[in-house]
Amino acid sequence: MILHPDYDERPMSSTAAAQHTPADDRLVVAGTAYDSRLLVGTGKYKDHDETRRAIEASGAQIVTVAIRRTNIGQNPDEPNLLEVLPPDRFTILPNTAGCYTAEDAVRTCRLARELLDGHKLVKLEVLGDEKTLYPDMVQTLKAAETLVADGFDVMVYTSDDPILARRLEEMGCAAVMPLAAPIGSGLGIQNRYNVLEIVDNARVPVIVDAGVGTASDAAIAMEMGCDGVLMNTAIAAAKDPVLMASAMKKAIEAGREAFRAGRMPRKRYASASSPLDGTFF
């Protein structure tokens, strides 16, 4: 029998389902629990006010900041992002966007730790080239090993290779963040089977990072059992970023509830909603 490529009889991943209990369904990263499973970036908005309004509408509690591109205190003559996104309200997640070597990424994380008074939680990404923005996994593994040894809690942007995701977890990373599609592409999850394999075997949070375009993409990631979704362009590049942020918040919540509920099996043929058995005539 030939089935559609998306056919999957499993109502949910048994391993992933066992990791999430209704009694406490908060996202836990590096020992800290969060109510929101939506993580958002701060780039590409027209100004800080739009950034603030969109992030508030998203309900996100973890906000990622590109240290090489965003002023969080490095330049006293420019507006400081932390004035509109104060660290006492949000967990600031410094990232190494724009880094192409392990050395640059490690240096950037150490700078962030100084700027944020010893902050340990970072998002590591080491890019391979400017055209695809795919991760350079050789450099990523090298940087991750150094940062973990240096006491950082590393959330790591990775390819959707399940073996590499496992290596990063074994190395001590706090979360693995496989791409759904190229950064900023808006294509949605392109390789669901690899992402499912990562989810099935991970013992740390799996957060889809890069490639989400709209609310349905976010919901699909959550229905698959991912622990969260990180996005920036999907919100910032929307015609109405604040409204899209609100839509993403709802999609994340709905997708998570659907995952916990356990979807019905897919079938090739009809199954009557009102069976004939026991009818009156």
Side-chain angles (χ1 to χ4, degrees):
M1 179 174 64
I2 299 176
L3 300 177
H4 187 276
D6 288 339
Y7 189 94
D8 183 3
E9 289 189 337
R10 296 177 300 168
M12 67 170 72
S13 158
S14 57
T15 303
Q19 295 172 353
H20 305 286
T21 59
D24 184 3
D25 197 47
R26 304 174 78 194
L27 171 64
V28 179
V29 179
T32 300
Y34 300 92
D35 294 317
S36 175
R37 292 177 178 272
L38 174 59
L39 294 72
V40 295
T42 54
K44 302 183 179 181
Y45 293 98
K46 67 180 182 181
D47 54 36
H48 279 184
D49 182 62
E50 184 178 74
T51 304
R52 176 189 59 78
R53 290 186 295 114
I55 290 175
E56 287 181 351
S58 76
Q61 296 168 295
I62 300 177
V63 179
T64 185
V65 176
I67 295 300
R68 294 167 67 102
R69 301 169 181 164
T70 307
N71 182 38
I72 59 169
Q74 308 97 307
N75 189 343
D77 298 324
E78 293 183 1
N80 188 333
L81 182 68
L82 300 186
E83 293 176 0
V84 295
L85 299 175
D88 61 343
R89 287 187 55 201
F90 300 93
T91 293
I92 304 300
L93 179 62
N95 72 59
T96 60
C99 292
Y100 290 84
T101 67
E103 291 75 16
D104 277 352
V106 169
R107 188 181 308 114
T108 300
C109 288
R110 287 172 175 165
L111 171 61
R113 183 167 59 186
E114 292 181 14
L115 289 169
L116 295 170
D117 298 323
H119 186 82
K120 297 195 302 178
L121 186 67
V122 295
K123 180 196 169 189
L124 171 64
E125 55 182 86
V126 186
L127 304 177
D129 62 69
E130 294 183 3
K131 180 180 179 181
T132 67
L133 300 182
Y134 282 131
D136 181 328
M137 293 311 302
V138 173
Q139 294 294 308
T140 297
L141 289 162
K142 181 179 178 182
E145 184 174 28
T146 299
L147 290 169
V148 169
D150 197 16
F152 284 92
D153 295 319
V154 181
M155 301 174 69
V156 56
Y157 170 62
T158 178
S159 66
D160 59 10
D161 184 326
I163 304 303
L164 288 172
R166 188 171 70 214
R167 293 285 181 267
L168 289 163
E169 178 182 338
E170 292 170 348
M171 193 177 288
C173 290
V176 293
M177 307 178 73
L179 56 82
I183 291 173
S185 67
L187 292 172
I189 298 177
Q190 294 299 295
N191 194 338
R192 299 187 189 186
Y193 298 106
N194 275 22
V195 174
L196 274 173
E197 186 67 18
I198 293 171
V199 169
D200 279 352
N201 292 287
R203 297 185 179 180
V204 296
V206 177
I207 298 172
V208 163
D209 181 15
V212 168
T214 190
S216 57
D217 298 330
I220 287 169
M222 298 308 296
E223 288 171 5
M224 291 169 59
C226 295
D227 296 279
V229 179
L230 189 151
M231 65 184 74
N232 186 177
T233 307
I235 295 175
K239 292 181 180 179
D240 186 335
V242 177
L243 187 59
M244 182 60 80
S246 176
M248 291 297 189
K249 177 179 184 291
K250 297 179 180 73
I252 292 289
E253 293 171 351
R256 182 62 183 178
E257 287 187 3
F259 169 73
R260 286 178 49 196
R263 67 156 291 141
M264 62 169 284
R266 290 183 172 92
K267 301 176 182 180
R268 291 187 64 204
Y269 303 107
S271 176
S273 298
S274 300
L276 295 177
D277 294 346
T279 53
F280 294 108
F281 56 87

